[in-house]
Amino acid sequence: MTNWMELDQNIREWIAEAGKRIRASFQTELNIQTKSNRNDLVTNIDKATEEFFTDNIRNIYPDHEIVGEEGYGDELQEMKGITWVIDPIDGTMNFVHQQRNFAISIGVYENGVGILGYIYDVVHDELYFAKKGEGAYMNDIKLEELKPVDIEDSIVALNALWVTENKRIDPTILAPLVQTVRGVRSYGSAALEMAYVASGRLDAYLTMRLAPWDFAAGRILIEEVGGKVTNLKGEDLNPLEKSSVFVGNSQLHKTILEKYLYRFK
Ligand code: 2AM
Ligand code: CA
């Protein structure tokens, strides 16, 4: 049996320590490399942070499995037992260019079901946390159930890329949504965008391609406040696969799916 209380205490300690080290790194020179393309960045701090978590997890929980962005985890075909899904720095471009608007994101799954989600806004020292069935919090503040909002009054997070020519979505699908909502925002960290939906700062977030570590924690937070988490076709997310992601308060999610996304194939 998993001692979830003890596990929660351990993660919180590790997250606090990792956050301290990341803040201290602002005083040092970053070693920046690119991955799949010139805008896909990774730094020595992304790697060191992931290694810090995987070392601690393997030390205390040798039978747990790990999925991590920077390759310190395991290669998994399926989720059995306890799986940690880790993005050491979500929003690396922001980390490099802005030293803000990035987060540590950790989801803990049991047999493929999300149990614990942590999104730590390192610069603001804000920890978004959820436990399945027990609600969601921002530090000590309990997050409220998401309330219905009219689409004309909603704030939606969306990268401008998706309403220009791109290879993932016909830009004429989301352009009318942009014209209808009250405001559109783009923060450049999927984890924070999901934490903002969970805390009601945003009403929805749509993006065309995320990896499991980008959404592992956020989906647990959003579901704990009654929000909806799917891909852009309205289907459930596979926790081990890259996917488009569409999250929002339930009623707005339904409206956007029916009025705008029905054309997305
Ligand atoms: P990252 O910084 O951890 O890579 C930026 O638009 C958001 O999308 C960030 O959360 C970023 O996570 C993620 N992201 C950027 N490029 C991605 C890609 N090729 N695949 C999956 N997620 C990506
Ligand atoms: Ca990352």
Side-chain angles (χ1 to χ4, degrees), residues 35-36 40-41 69 87 89-93 159 188-191 193 205 207 209-211 213-214 242:
K35 293 194 280 188
S36 59
D40 186 5
L41 307 179
E69 178 169 20
D87 191 344
I89 297 185
D90 181 74
T92 297
M93 192 186 292
N159 188 323
S189 157
E193 280 158 312
Y205 167 54
T207 190
R209 192 155 190 255
L210 291 184
W213 42 82
D214 297 320
K242 287 197 171 167

Side-chain angles (χ1 to χ4, degrees), residues 126-129 136-143 199 201:
E126 289 175 345
L127 179 65
Y128 297 85
F129 159 73
Y137 294 81
M138 196 279 279
N139 289 340
D140 294 335
I141 304 163
K142 184 150 197 228
L143 301 179
S199 51
R201 295 175 186 164

Side-chain angles (χ1 to χ4, degrees), residues 105-172:
S105 174
I106 299 180
V108 187
Y109 284 64
E110 184 178 39
N111 298 321
V113 178
I115 307 291
L116 297 172
Y118 301 81
I119 295 174
Y120 182 50
D121 180 334
V122 172
V123 171
H124 293 107
D125 190 26
E126 289 175 345
L127 179 65
Y128 297 85
F129 159 73
K131 181 166 186 205
K132 185 177 170 58
E134 296 184 13
Y137 294 81
M138 196 279 279
N139 289 340
D140 294 335
I141 304 163
K142 184 150 197 228
L143 301 179
E144 291 176 19
E145 285 278 305
L146 300 180
K147 295 185 189 72
V149 56
D150 289 334
I151 195 161
E152 291 82 3
D153 299 330
S154 67
I155 301 189
V156 171
L158 186 69
N159 188 323
L161 206 55
W162 313 129
V163 287
T164 65
E165 279 304 321
N166 73 86
K167 60 182 186 201
R168 299 200 189 275
I169 187 168
D170 172 353
T172 69

Side-chain angles (χ1 to χ4, degrees), residues 36-75:
S36 59
N37 62 64
R38 77 179 300 281
N39 298 325
D40 186 5
L41 307 179
V42 62
T43 73
N44 52 316
I45 306 300
D46 297 64
K47 293 178 186 172
T49 304
E50 182 165 307
E51 197 175 16
F52 169 76
F53 283 113
T54 54
D55 282 352
N56 277 299
I57 294 164
R58 290 210 169 98
N59 188 24
I60 301 209
Y61 303 109
D63 56 333
H64 291 187
E65 295 186 299
I66 304 170
V67 175
E69 178 169 20
E70 309 307 344
Y72 294 89
D74 308 301
E75 292 274 338

Side-chain angles (χ1 to χ4, degrees), residues 207-228:
T207 190
M208 294 314 301
R209 192 155 190 255
L210 291 184
W213 42 82
D214 297 320
F215 61 74
R219 70 184 298 184
I220 304 170
L221 274 152
I222 291 172
E223 285 172 352
E224 272 311 304
V225 291
K228 187 90 178 151

